[in-house]
Amino acid sequence: MKSYTEYLWMNTPNRRDLINITDKVSQAVSKSNIKEGLALVSAMHITAGIIVNDDEPGFHRDLWKWLEQLAPYRKEYEHHRTGEDNGDAHLKNILVHHQVVVPITEGKLDLGPWQEIFYAEFDGCRRKRIIIKILGE
Ligand code: ZN
């Protein structure tokens, strides 16, 4: 089995952001020269996540509203006793999860209709990493 690893650096200008990284993952798959296998895409942070979904602005607004309802930004989180103010970002990370696994078939990402890979930033404006780990033959 072959493996290939690549890191993507993110630094979003907004505290919360959704960035389509499908092309970057596809480029990593091409560089890996792996024809059949799996690509793990994982945010290496506890306040960011990776999702697979539609690149449609209305859905993105719905997603942010839903995340804000379930894990609203507020001052009263116990986590803020540490001096941080990102309690909501940790909870949003739990809701969307930190990583996805996507299939590779005949040397390309084998995503379904409308599926795109996104980096979901919940506490941005600083440098953060994503790992892409590709395994296969
Ligand atoms: Zn924190």
Side-chain angles (χ1 to χ4, degrees), residues 71-96:
Y73 179 81
R74 60 177 199 221
K75 292 200 160 105
E76 304 80 44
Y77 289 117
E78 295 201 25
H79 179 57
H80 296 173
R81 292 179 192 169
T82 63
E84 293 194 60
D85 68 344
N86 61 2
D88 71 305
H90 289 265
L91 295 173
K92 288 176 171 99
N93 160 276
I94 299 289
L95 289 172
V96 306

